[in-house]
Amino acid sequence: MSHQQPTAYLRVTVYCALFTALIIIGSYMSFPLPLSPVPIVLADFFIMVSALFLGWKSGLMSVILYLVLGAIGLPVFAGGASGLASFFGPTGGFLFGYLLLVASIGFITEKMKSSIGVTLIALLVGNVLLYAAGVTWLKVVLELSWSGALAAGLTPFLPGTLIKIIVAVAIGQVLVPPFKANMKRW
């Protein structure tokens, strides 16, 4: 094992922990909506950004760490929620959907030549998967109609999600290339 290999593993571990911390901070930036059991949070934004910076494997590790911390009882989910019950309540589909969000964005951006279009497509695909999981779960858990589930779990979030995607694309174009270039040098 070369000297650089342990350093590279340590660096990736530190970045995974850093993005997990950012996801937790984003969860605390929670804004309840009057007609929805699902609050607006910034955790999904930081998950999108972690996928762009870390790729699908390390980004997925950050999200898994976040979910494990919440599952064991640390108050890391929206509004300080935690525990296994969070996975079975109204927001559980979104928590599981975070895995789809990070994996799809990271995978698409790793496999395709970097461009604004690829980043935008990856973020859109990731969010479609996130909302598909979240809204479906919401429908089942709360026994809502599809229109009720969409009204509670999708429609109020679209403007914010669009803003998050635009900001993530900008970050992806400005900050990710020098970050990845620096990572390759190590």
Side-chain angles (χ1 to χ4, degrees):
M1 187 182 294
S2 72
H3 179 290
Q4 289 182 343
Q5 204 171 20
T7 305
Y9 288 133
L10 177 61
R11 184 172 296 104
V12 169
T13 302
V14 169
Y15 285 132
C16 286
L18 171 66
F19 278 100
T20 300
L22 288 172
I23 295 165
I24 293 168
I25 291 167
S27 291
Y28 274 91
M29 296 177 186
S30 174
F31 311 97
L33 293 175
L35 300 175
S36 177
V38 181
I40 294 175
V41 294
L42 291 181
D44 58 333
F45 170 74
F46 288 112
I47 290 169
M48 289 185 255
V49 173
S50 73
L52 295 175
F53 275 87
L54 301 178
W56 77 271
K57 289 179 186 173
S58 296
L60 194 58
M61 291 309 300
S62 291
V63 174
I64 289 170
L65 178 57
Y66 165 71
L67 295 174
V68 167
L69 291 173
I72 64 171
L74 295 176
V76 298
F77 299 146
S82 66
L84 290 176
S86 297
F87 291 94
F88 300 103
T91 59
F94 290 96
L95 293 174
F96 290 116
Y98 286 162
L99 298 169
L100 300 173
L101 178 67
V102 72
S104 60
I105 294 168
F107 185 80
I108 291 169
T109 56
E110 281 182 11
K111 298 299 179 190
M112 309 274 297
K113 187 176 181 219
S114 180
S115 71
I116 291 175
V118 167
T119 303
L120 181 59
I121 288 169
L123 291 165
L124 290 171
V125 167
N127 276 280
V128 165
L129 293 173
L130 170 65
Y131 282 105
V135 170
T136 302
W137 188 271
L138 194 62
K139 178 192 182 310
V140 171
V141 169
L142 296 181
E143 298 177 2
L144 298 172
S145 65
W146 278 111
S147 61
L150 291 169
L154 175 66
T155 307
F157 301 97
L158 289 178
T161 298
L162 181 59
I163 292 168
K164 293 174 195 177
I165 288 172
I166 291 168
V167 173
V169 167
I171 288 171
Q173 295 307 299
V174 174
L175 298 178
V176 172
F179 174 82
K180 288 191 174 185
N182 188 38
M183 288 293 286
K184 286 181 182 177
R185 284 190 295 180
W186 294 93

